[in-house]
């Protein structure tokens, strides 16, 4: 740590972070925006394309926002991210065409790009500032837990209020919640060691934006652990996030009422929240990265069992699958953060997030094709087998590489 950098006087307020995460995900529109698209005349294929466009917008802004988060103020970045998400929901209130819905997704994607990597960097540097970086898995896991609880609260409340107000009003409420969260983001403590190191007055000369990008790229290339962790996060550990856009379509495939959208989403996020909480305890049992690969493979095996039964009575298995995916993702992010020294945490995470957004585009495009040829159930079978194969492949590759 640079001796010229003055530590902030106050300690990092973890409870404020948890409040920010809870409010930021407590959005009732989550449960019904796919339904909103259907009501506005969008086909299943158009919905898949909209989700793919969301990822395209995120890719365009991901790396620039990651560099900005390392060189500017991460707290301000999170505040802007919440505001942009609110703009998306406000636009959707008046959207009746494919392109205006896509415009809303553009603002949401930019907001997501501003937040991804920024949160992890802000948490780690704050803990490092207080000499508590070993608590990253615990604090990061708890932050994700409160985010999941917020999602659950938003989804459950959506199921309750849906009978009294229309989806446009739900979108308006969600936009208001995003604006409230701007206030909580602005109260977070700002610590950014990389930004301080590249500013004038430190031991080194200030770096250009390209140098920040290049330094992060060289770090990933030179660290075997970081490279393997990022690749697995992109291709396999991110599967849970890729699939959550299609949960509402499962309900339609089961032939159930829209009320079940809230049920299936609640099951998903309750188990993800449990996974976020137990991750630090699982970390004590899992001693290597290759064991994380097997754990993620196990989660995909459970998803395959759900796909085999394919009814609402198997939702418990569905939940356990996403619980273990959540644990795998947190442990891999922790391994990655521990590898990063000063090479721009947000920029490094942006490389990962770009890859995950490409993965989301690929899955959406595959689904757009599969939906015309096969039932939705087959999509989950294909994804599950792919995830199992990936977990085993990375496990044996890592084992052989060590030898």
């Amino acid at each position: 740590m640079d001796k010229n950098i003055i530590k902030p006087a106050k300690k990092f307020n973890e409870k404020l972070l948890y409040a920010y995460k809870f409010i930021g995900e407590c959005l009732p529109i989550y449960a019904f925006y796919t339904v909103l698209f259907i009501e506005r005349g969008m086909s299943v294929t158009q919905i898949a394309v909209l989700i793919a466009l969301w990822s395209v917008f995120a890719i365009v802004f991901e790396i620039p926002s990651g560099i900005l988060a390392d060189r500017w103020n991460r707290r301000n970045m999170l505040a802007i991210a919440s505001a942009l998400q609110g703009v998306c929901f406000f636009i959707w209130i008046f959207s009746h065409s494919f392109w205006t819905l896509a415009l809303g997704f553009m603002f949401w994607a930019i907001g997501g790009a501003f937040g991804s990597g920024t949160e992890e960097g802000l948490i780690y540097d704050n803990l490092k500032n207080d000499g508590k970086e070993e608590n990253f898995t615990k604090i990061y896991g708890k932050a994700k837990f409160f985010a999941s609880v917020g999602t659950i609260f938003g989804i459950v409340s959506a199921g309750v209020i849906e009978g009294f107000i229309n989806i446009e009003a739900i979108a308006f409420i969600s936009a208001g919640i995003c604006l409230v969260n701007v206030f909580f983001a602005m109260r977070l403590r700002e610590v950014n060691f990389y930004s301080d190191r590249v500013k004038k007055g430190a031991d080194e000369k200030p770096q250009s934006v390209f140098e920040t990008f290049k330094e992060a790229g060289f770090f990933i290339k030179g660290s075997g652990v970081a490279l393997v962790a990022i690749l697995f996060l992109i291709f396999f550990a991110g599967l849970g996030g890729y699939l959550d856009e299609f949960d509402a379509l499962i309900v339609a495939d089961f032939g159930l009422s829209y009320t079940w959208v809230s049920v299936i989403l609640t099951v998903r996020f309750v188990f993800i929240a449990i996974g976020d909480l137990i991750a630090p305890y699982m970390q004590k049992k899992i001693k290597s990265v290759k064991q994380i690969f097997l754990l993620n493979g196990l989660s995909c095996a459970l998803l395959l069992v759900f796909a085999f039964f394919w009814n609402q009575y198997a939702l418990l298995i569905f939940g356990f699958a996403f619980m273990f995916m959540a644990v795998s993702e947190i442990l891999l992010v922790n391994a990655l953060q521990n590898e990063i020294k000063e090479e721009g945490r947000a920029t490094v995470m942006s490389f990962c997030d770009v890859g995950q957004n490409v993965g989301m585009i690929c899955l959406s495009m595959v689904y757009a094709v599969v939906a015309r040829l096969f039932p939705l159930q087959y999509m989950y079978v294909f994804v599950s087998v792919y995830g199992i194969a990936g977990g085993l492949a990375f496990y044996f590759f890592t084992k052989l590489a060590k030898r």
Side-chain angles (χ1 to χ4, degrees):
M1 190 184 302
D2 199 308
K3 294 180 180 179
N4 294 322
I5 299 171
I6 301 174
K7 287 188 176 183
K10 62 180 182 179
K11 291 185 178 180
F12 181 47
N13 190 337
E14 297 162 9
K15 292 180 180 178
L16 188 60
L17 169 69
Y18 302 150
Y20 160 78
K21 292 295 292 179
F22 174 85
I23 296 170
E25 299 297 328
C26 187
L27 304 170
I29 191 62
Y30 276 170
F32 289 108
Y33 72 82
T34 305
V35 177
L36 174 68
F37 295 166
I38 293 172
E39 288 187 351
R40 298 290 167 84
M42 298 298 109
S43 67
V44 172
T45 300
Q46 284 177 310
I47 292 172
V49 173
L50 278 170
I51 293 169
L53 282 175
W54 180 12
S55 296
V56 169
F57 294 137
I59 289 170
V60 171
F61 292 97
E62 191 67 60
I63 297 295
S65 67
I67 295 172
L68 183 62
D70 280 326
R71 301 177 66 88
W72 188 44
N73 186 300
R74 290 171 181 161
R75 176 184 59 200
N76 292 349
M77 295 280 290
L78 295 180
I80 293 171
S82 293
L84 289 172
Q85 192 174 17
V87 171
C88 164
F89 302 143
F90 188 77
I91 289 174
W92 281 352
I93 296 171
F94 309 100
S95 298
H96 287 83
S97 70
F98 176 89
W99 292 111
T100 51
L101 292 171
L103 178 65
F105 260 142
M106 184 186 74
F107 281 101
W108 192 350
I110 297 172
F114 270 47
S116 65
T118 307
E119 286 183 4
E120 291 88 346
L122 182 139
I123 294 169
Y124 198 94
D125 273 1
N126 268 287
L127 293 174
K128 183 177 179 180
N129 181 84
D130 296 339
K132 297 179 179 179
E133 57 264 45
E134 71 279 0
N135 290 339
F136 178 80
T137 299
K138 178 181 177 182
I139 303 304
Y140 182 62
K142 272 193 175 182
K144 289 179 72 68
F145 166 77
F146 280 101
S148 298
V149 171
T151 303
I152 294 165
F153 188 85
I155 291 167
V156 172
S157 65
V160 173
I161 65 177
E162 185 267 339
F164 304 96
I165 61 176
N166 57 27
I167 297 179
E168 288 81 2
I170 291 175
F172 183 79
I173 292 170
S174 300
I177 292 171
C178 290
L179 295 181
V180 169
N181 207 34
V182 172
F183 168 76
F184 283 87
M186 291 302 297
R187 294 189 61 200
L188 293 169
R189 187 180 72 173
E190 172 65 14
V191 177
N192 189 332
F193 289 125
Y194 184 83
S195 174
D196 289 338
R197 185 168 69 83
V198 300
K199 285 178 181 176
K200 291 181 179 179
D203 292 337
E204 301 179 15
K205 294 180 179 179
Q207 293 180 337
S208 66
V209 170
F210 178 73
E211 285 297 320
T212 300
F213 175 85
K214 187 170 71 173
E215 191 175 82
F218 278 132
F219 161 74
I220 294 171
K221 183 180 178 181
S223 171
V225 173
L227 182 59
V228 171
I230 288 174
L231 288 175
F232 198 82
L233 281 165
I234 291 171
F235 288 104
F236 302 103
L239 285 175
Y242 302 161
L243 289 171
D244 69 355
E245 308 302 330
F246 303 102
D247 285 353
L249 302 179
I250 293 176
V251 172
D253 202 66
F254 286 172
L256 302 172
S257 67
Y258 283 158
T259 304
W260 278 88
V261 175
S262 292
V263 174
I264 193 170
L265 288 172
T266 300
V267 169
R268 167 195 275 270
F269 286 104
V270 163
F271 277 90
I272 288 176
I274 295 171
D276 295 336
L277 274 186
I278 67 172
Y281 304 100
M282 294 286 288
Q283 186 180 26
K284 297 176 182 178
K285 303 293 183 181
I286 297 175
K287 303 298 182 182
S288 65
V289 172
K290 64 178 181 287
Q291 289 177 329
I292 302 175
F293 302 151
L294 287 181
L295 181 64
N296 200 79
L298 171 63
S299 70
C300 291
L302 290 171
L303 193 63
L304 181 62
V305 174
F306 166 73
F308 175 78
F309 287 105
W310 200 245
N311 57 54
Q312 64 268 37
Y313 305 109
L315 285 179
L316 192 64
I317 301 171
F318 176 84
F320 274 111
F322 289 107
M323 181 186 77
F324 288 122
M325 280 189 195
V327 174
S328 302
E329 187 170 5
I330 289 174
L331 295 184
L332 279 173
V333 170
N334 177 68
L336 179 57
Q337 289 293 323
N338 285 333
E339 281 292 301
I340 303 170
K341 305 308 175 186
E342 300 294 348
E343 295 86 352
R345 295 186 184 281
T347 307
V348 171
M349 289 302 299
S350 289
F351 280 98
C352 178
D353 292 328
V354 165
Q356 288 187 323
N357 280 302
V358 172
M360 185 70 230
I361 292 172
C362 293
L363 186 69
S364 296
M365 293 296 97
V366 167
Y367 178 71
V369 174
V370 170
R372 294 174 177 269
L373 303 174
F374 301 101
L376 181 63
Q377 180 182 8
Y378 283 63
M379 177 68 174
Y380 280 79
V381 171
F382 298 152
V383 170
S384 300
V385 172
Y386 167 78
I388 295 168
L392 291 173
F394 267 70
Y395 173 81
F396 287 113
F397 172 79
T398 307
K399 196 171 184 178
L400 290 172
K402 273 197 170 185
R403 289 180 181 177

